[in-house]
């Protein structure tokens, strides 16, 4: 996946920007001006949601052991929360540990789905770019997946 795609999808979206990555910390590293862009999108009425991993869960601790990297999962979650606060992004944030192995990011009718493989970090995973083409198709099924996780996640 081209590194620019994520920023391009954020720029193009107007109604819905849902970040269903366990940390999504790379947004702040890879998307220039992400905070300002996301803040402007929220101010213009876009639905911004961040479904992050629960830094206090056993699932997170187990993943940190598997990854065995100094930049821990809980640190990356904290980075995203800090960047959202710093940029004053008006977004809903919830915590869950049920999406550790699959990330779903929704940008209007475009979506990225990342399936995590083995002990690699998120950037080592296979990422699919989907576009909504029909009712009830793969796109809608992944949106439903996000919604189910969102409904059961802990508000922070």
């Amino acid at each position: 996946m081209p590194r620019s795609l994520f920023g391009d999808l954020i720029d193009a979206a107007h109604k819905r920007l849902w970040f269903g990555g366990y940390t999504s910390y790379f947004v702040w590293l890879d998307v220039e001006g992400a905070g300002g862009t996301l803040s402007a999108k929220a101010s213009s009425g876009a639905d911004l949601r961040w479904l992050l991993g629960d830094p206090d869960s056993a699932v997170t601790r187990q993943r940190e052991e598997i990854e065995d990297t100094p930049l821990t999962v809980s640190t990356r979650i904290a980075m995203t929360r800090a960047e959202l606060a710093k940029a004053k992004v008006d977004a809903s944030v919830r915590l869950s540990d049920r999406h550790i192995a699959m990330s779903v990011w929704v940008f209007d009718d475009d979506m990225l789905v990342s399936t995590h493989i083995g002990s690699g970090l998120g950037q080592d995973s296979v990422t699919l770019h989907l576009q909504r083409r029909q009712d009830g198709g793969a796109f809608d099924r992944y949106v439903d997946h996000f919604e189910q996780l969102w409904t059961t996640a802990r508000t922070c």
Side-chain angles (χ1 to χ4, degrees), residues 53-65:
D54 186 340
D56 299 323
S57 79
V59 171
T60 298
R61 286 189 297 279
Q62 181 182 29
R63 187 66 195 178
E64 289 177 343
E65 289 175 18

Side-chain angles (χ1 to χ4, degrees), residues 5-73:
L5 180 58
F6 215 90
D8 293 344
L9 293 175
I10 289 172
D11 287 341
H14 299 288
K15 301 175 294 194
R16 171 173 61 184
L17 295 96
W18 294 355
F19 296 82
Y22 208 75
T23 70
S24 292
Y25 86 104
F26 64 90
V27 170
W28 316 106
L29 302 174
D30 291 348
V31 179
E32 188 174 338
T37 300
L38 292 170
S39 188
K41 300 247 179 216
S43 293
S44 66
D47 179 15
L48 259 65
R49 299 183 192 181
W50 291 78
L51 180 64
L52 298 171
D54 186 340
D56 299 323
S57 79
V59 171
T60 298
R61 286 189 297 279
Q62 181 182 29
R63 187 66 195 178
E64 289 177 343
E65 289 175 18
I66 291 168
E67 289 183 2
D68 191 29
T69 181
L71 188 58
T72 65
V73 175

Side-chain angles (χ1 to χ4, degrees), residues 22 42 47 112 116 145:
Y22 208 75
D47 179 15
L112 297 174
H116 300 268
H145 168 74

Side-chain angles (χ1 to χ4, degrees), residues 111-155:
M111 171 186 294
L112 297 174
V113 176
S114 180
T115 55
H116 300 268
I117 298 174
S119 61
L121 299 176
Q123 66 261 24
D124 299 326
S125 301
V126 174
T127 302
L128 309 171
H129 180 189
L130 304 177
Q131 295 179 317
R132 188 172 193 287
R133 298 286 186 222
Q134 64 187 21
D135 290 343
F139 186 96
D140 287 351
R141 292 180 72 186
Y142 280 115
V143 164
D144 288 344
H145 168 74
F146 184 102
E147 289 277 21
Q148 288 173 21
L149 293 172
W150 185 257
T151 300
T152 61
R154 178 169 56 96
T155 304

Side-chain angles (χ1 to χ4, degrees), residues 87-123:
K88 297 181 175 74
V89 176
D90 184 19
S92 297
V93 179
R94 295 189 183 178
L95 304 175
S96 174
D97 64 10
R98 293 183 51 212
H99 64 299
I100 188 72
M102 182 172 58
S103 299
V104 176
W105 298 280
V106 183
F107 308 99
D108 291 345
D109 289 335
D110 279 277
M111 171 186 294
L112 297 174
V113 176
S114 180
T115 55
H116 300 268
I117 298 174
S119 61
L121 299 176
Q123 66 261 24

